Amino acid sequence: MVREGSLHVIALCHLKGGVGKTTGAVNLAYFAARAGYRTVCWDLDPQGAAAWCLGCDAAGPPAKRLVKMRLSAVEAAVPTAWPGLDCIGAHATLRNLDLRLDDADRPEKILRRLLKPLGRRYDVVVIDCPPGLSRLSEAVFRAADTLLMPMIPSDLSLRAHDQVVQELERLQVFHRQLYAYFSMVDRRRASHRRWVDTPPPAIPNLLEVSIPASVDNERVAERRAPVHTFAPRGRSSRAWQSLWEALVARIDLPGAT
């Protein structure tokens, strides 16, 4: 864990794309800042979707400069349009980050070193991880305080959750808290209703808040803004706020400013 200052690292992870992971990172980072936590959203996915959705046009630091410590994460952070929320953008060379971490005996030490200075400025870091299992995901799993996994209600999502649990056990870091929540829920579908209303016991740390499949969530990329900023009374905004509150009730966060 990274404990410079009182920094808490929340990483959104999944084995595949298209499950609402980036939308989760953007909206949860926004609600963290809105709750008074000095927050930075770090986009570690080379596609740069989280930074785009937060209105950050500046490219993030190249992977080589980060790993070689030629630029600190603090220097790379830029403000967003919302008070208390900064963003570290993605860079195309992040696709090579796994190769650079492969050269390290303990890749998590590199990530912890990169995260450590952020504790002097921020209370919360929300990381949008690239999909899949890799050296980078291994480093994130070891360095994060909280792992958060969105799950579309389906057997494939349960399988992906089990694979992440197995990876955590292999890395012997299962004492890190892995939480899950149902994402992109369409209650018109009987299978979605069944999963949400009677979730399988194989997901022990399932947060009891589900995020709907909605036009507002789809508009996050179009509007380049968190849902609450353009549809504050909508069910999606209320769901994200409830998810943030449910997560805060479970984890050890520093005091808000």
Side-chain angles (χ1 to χ4, degrees):
M1 288 185 195
V2 180
R3 286 301 184 191
E4 173 111 355
S6 299
L7 187 68
H8 194 100
V9 181
I10 301 170
L12 278 91
C13 60
H14 205 284
L15 301 189
K16 63 187 295 294
V19 297
K21 175 178 56 62
T22 293
T23 308
V26 167
N27 285 283
L28 290 172
Y30 169 80
F31 275 107
R34 194 167 183 266
Y37 295 99
R38 299 170 300 170
T39 304
V40 60
C41 182
W42 193 350
D43 193 345
L44 281 179
D45 190 332
Q47 297 179 75
W52 169 266
C53 291
L54 285 171
C56 296
D57 293 312
K64 183 176 181 180
R65 293 190 70 190
L66 272 178
V67 172
K68 298 292 185 181
M69 296 299 289
R70 294 174 184 166
L71 181 73
S72 76
V74 172
E75 294 173 300
V78 297
T80 70
W82 303 282
L85 177 56
D86 291 351
C87 177
I88 302 174
H91 193 278
T93 58
L94 286 176
R95 65 182 182 273
N96 302 320
L97 188 53
D98 277 334
L99 299 176
R100 298 193 176 278
L101 293 177
D102 268 336
D103 295 332
D105 292 331
R106 295 183 61 190
E108 74 277 4
K109 289 183 68 175
I110 294 176
L111 185 57
R112 285 175 179 153
R113 190 172 71 234
L114 297 175
L115 286 164
K116 189 175 181 180
L118 294 173
R120 294 193 288 269
R121 179 180 293 183
Y122 302 102
D123 305 308
V124 174
V125 178
V126 178
I127 298 177
D128 186 23
C129 300
L133 294 176
S134 62
R135 293 288 274 177
L136 176 56
S137 67
E138 177 182 329
V140 170
F141 288 172
R142 291 184 182 277
D145 298 290
T146 299
L147 298 174
L148 191 57
M149 186 173 179
M151 297 178 62
I152 297 175
S154 70
D155 289 298
L156 284 178
S157 283
L158 181 59
R159 182 172 182 269
H161 179 273
D162 291 344
Q163 289 175 306
V164 170
V165 170
Q166 291 167 14
E167 178 69 1
L168 292 171
E169 290 174 340
R170 183 187 71 81
L171 297 173
Q172 298 183 334
V173 292
F174 197 54
H175 61 282
R176 304 277 190 263
Q177 290 298 315
L178 170 66
Y179 296 97
Y181 65 93
F182 286 128
S183 175
M184 302 175 70
V185 175
D186 184 353
R187 293 195 66 89
R188 295 171 299 180
R189 300 176 60 178
S191 61
H192 281 209
R193 293 197 304 272
R194 183 173 65 252
W195 275 79
V196 172
D197 295 341
T198 311
I203 315 174
N205 286 335
L206 180 67
L207 299 174
E208 295 181 358
V209 178
S210 59
I211 304 299
S214 71
V215 172
D216 284 343
N217 283 328
E218 294 174 1
R219 291 173 65 201
V220 166
E222 173 194 338
R223 299 292 294 265
R224 302 188 69 184
V227 171
H228 186 80
T229 64
F230 60 83
R233 299 181 187 85
R235 61 192 179 108
S236 292
S237 177
R238 295 194 303 270
W240 287 118
Q241 183 165 9
S242 295
L243 182 65
W244 168 251
E245 292 170 353
L247 184 63
V248 169
R250 296 278 203 102
I251 64 178
D252 180 23
L253 279 181
T257 55

